[in-house]
Amino acid sequence: MSTLDEIERLKEQIQEKIGHAPTLDVLDKERVDLLGRKGALTALLRGLGNLDPEERAVIGKAANEIRAAAEALLEERKGELSAQALDQKLAAGRLDVTLPGRVTPLGAQHLISRIRDEIIDVFAGIGYSVAEGPEVELEFFNFTALNHSIQHPARSASDTFYLHDLSGDTHAGSEPSEVVLRTHTSPVQVRTMQHEEPPIYILAPGKVYRRDAADPTHLPQFTQMEGLVVDRDITFADLRGTLDYFVKEMFGKDRKTRFRPHFFPFTEPSAEVDVSCGICDGSGCRFCGNAGWIEILGCGMVDPEVFKHSGIDPNVYTGFAFGMGVDRIAALRYDIPDIRILIDGDMRFLRQF
Ligand code: DAH
């Protein structure tokens, strides 16, 4: 092949390989192969020395033109490929700032827990602290120490969940002791008095269990709040003043309380407390069953028998106790007609609070 033919072929190769290099990497490789120190064009120029002067001038000129054209083509292709690479990078990293943000659903406190904490806040403000006891409780603390006779109907297996028969075991002398799911928070009174010296001012919130079928006003598991005060010279007047204060803090300054005589085994005297109906203000309406009042809790002066089981000297100390249903208070606050909805877990209902 003549040298001119070789130059012609090289020209075509440059057009093809540099002009159509698919990527910047391939382009660089072609540059080395064609124009580099060991490349085709350099080899050709090296051979010029063997040619006669006339031919050398013609071929040399042609070769230099090729080099200049190749370098221009190289720059052009490089520019094209760089622009393409930048476009690709921009497209890949594109952000659509008009897309709506992603919403992460936030959890919140359950209504029952919130009301529980509100009640605690009211009493914490007048010096009460929180005490706790087990939900799986000895029959002794749940009934016996709270002065329930052996025949008391609440002890029956149709009212109370019995877990474990420990009969044979004895507690407090001769009483056979079984394990129950506590039916109220009152056993925390006894546990606290056994471990603490008066003055005692405590609240005991927690879950309780009863063998009740769920209906609009009952649940087999619900939440109670117990209160206990033991100190010198505590009277029924202290109990009335305390609960009156609580009702006004919880339901509003215009609400009144009414104490009705009642019976509880562990308090003497005992009372049930009603709050004036917030809908009719005491005149009677459908919400309060035309009574004008709504029952919210039980209370009374701690029975000396309970003090004896708890290691407190009834000749030195007196005290009062009260117990309320937190679910019931929540239902009253928000006019909820059926408390089963509180534990259904229906978010459409719960989100309202
Ligand atoms: N333990 C009672 C119940 O579950 C409520 C109660 C009544 C608690 C009177 C008390 C009280 O502390 O003095 O029905």
Side-chain angles (χ1 to χ4, degrees):
M1 201 193 302
S2 79
T3 313
L4 269 177
D5 286 345
E6 265 180 60
I7 287 180
E8 212 37 55
R9 236 193 63 191
L10 193 59
K11 218 166 149 181
E12 280 164 18
Q13 274 183 9
I14 286 170
Q15 275 300 336
E16 174 60 31
K17 294 197 167 161
I18 292 185
H20 295 105
T23 66
L24 284 167
D25 284 346
V26 173
L27 182 67
D28 199 53
K29 185 180 160 295
E30 301 297 359
R31 178 186 61 77
V32 173
D33 284 355
L34 296 167
L35 311 176
R37 240 174 356 104
K38 295 181 181 160
L41 184 66
T42 312
L44 196 121
L45 290 170
R46 279 211 187 100
L48 285 182
N50 305 328
L51 301 175
D52 61 61
E54 218 169 283
E55 220 181 355
R56 192 189 300 159
V58 175
I59 304 247
K61 187 165 172 263
N64 280 328
E65 279 170 9
I66 286 183
R67 175 180 287 279
E71 273 165 4
L73 187 63
L74 193 75
E75 279 313 304
E76 191 186 318
R77 188 64 189 149
K78 207 171 171 175
E80 282 169 12
L81 288 173
S82 301
Q84 259 178 34
L86 184 64
D87 280 351
Q88 273 170 14
K89 228 174 169 173
L90 287 177
R94 187 149 65 200
L95 266 186
D96 183 350
V97 292
T98 65
L99 279 178
R102 274 186 212 125
V103 179
T104 309
L106 277 187
Q109 219 180 6
H110 192 279
L111 177 60
I112 294 175
S113 308
R114 218 190 66 212
I115 296 287
R116 175 200 63 203
D117 289 355
E118 277 185 39
I119 299 171
I120 291 173
D121 277 352
V122 172
F123 283 96
I126 51 174
Y128 287 60
S129 54
V130 171
E132 284 186 326
E135 288 172 32
V136 177
E137 183 57 286
L138 290 171
E139 197 186 4
F140 170 77
F141 289 106
N142 197 79
F143 294 123
T144 309
L146 291 167
N147 204 29
H148 287 67
S149 68
I150 287 290
Q151 301 83 13
H152 195 285
R155 290 194 191 238
S156 83
S158 59
D159 283 9
T160 297
F161 291 105
Y162 281 80
L163 291 184
H164 201 226
D165 190 348
L166 295 181
S167 30
D169 248 31
T170 50
H171 208 286
S174 57
E175 180 75 17
S177 191
E178 298 187 27
V179 180
V180 299
L181 291 185
R182 68 178 178 193
T183 59
H184 50 177
T185 43
S186 303
V188 185
Q189 291 186 31
V190 181
R191 287 183 174 276
T192 305
M193 288 188 279
Q194 283 188 349
H195 290 105
E196 282 178 31
E197 291 293 314
I200 292 170
Y201 290 78
I202 56 130
L203 282 180
K207 291 193 186 91
V208 302
Y209 303 83
R210 291 187 193 173
R211 290 191 72 158
D212 278 335
D215 70 24
T217 53
H218 296 88
L219 293 171
Q221 181 230 285
F222 57 104
T223 304
Q224 278 193 338
M225 181 74 73
E226 193 80 12
L228 172 71
V229 166
V230 183
D231 206 342
R232 289 174 196 270
D233 304 323
I234 295 292
T235 68
F236 202 92
D238 296 312
L239 172 59
R240 286 202 66 159
T242 302
L243 292 179
D244 205 50
Y245 170 77
F246 162 69
V247 163
K248 287 184 161 54
E249 287 293 304
M250 198 66 196
F251 297 102
K253 296 276 178 240
D254 52 332
R255 304 294 278 273
K256 294 183 267 304
T257 51
R258 178 174 82 170
F259 286 64
R260 277 182 292 104
H262 199 76
F263 174 80
F264 295 106
F266 38 92
T267 43
E268 183 60 33
S270 306
E272 274 187 340
V273 176
D274 301 334
V275 56
S276 57
C277 177
I279 308 281
C280 63
D281 197 23
S283 59
C285 67
R286 257 181 48 204
F287 187 73
C288 58
N290 264 324
W293 299 91
I294 297 157
E295 184 214 316
I296 54 161
L297 56 83
C299 64
M301 302 305 290
V302 179
D303 193 301
E305 279 303 308
V306 177
F307 276 148
K308 279 185 205 156
H309 281 298
S310 309
I312 301 251
D313 185 349
N315 296 314
V316 180
Y317 295 105
T318 51
F320 64 73
F322 56 87
M324 65 186 98
V326 177
D327 323 56
R328 198 177 159 73
I329 305 275
L332 269 179
R333 265 286 277 279
Y334 293 104
D335 301 345
I336 297 166
D338 187 333
I339 59 173
R340 286 175 295 189
I341 199 168
L342 287 171
I343 57 162
D344 274 353
D346 185 335
M347 294 304 288
R348 290 167 305 177
F349 169 76
L350 294 172
R351 269 207 201 95
Q352 302 174 76
F353 302 103

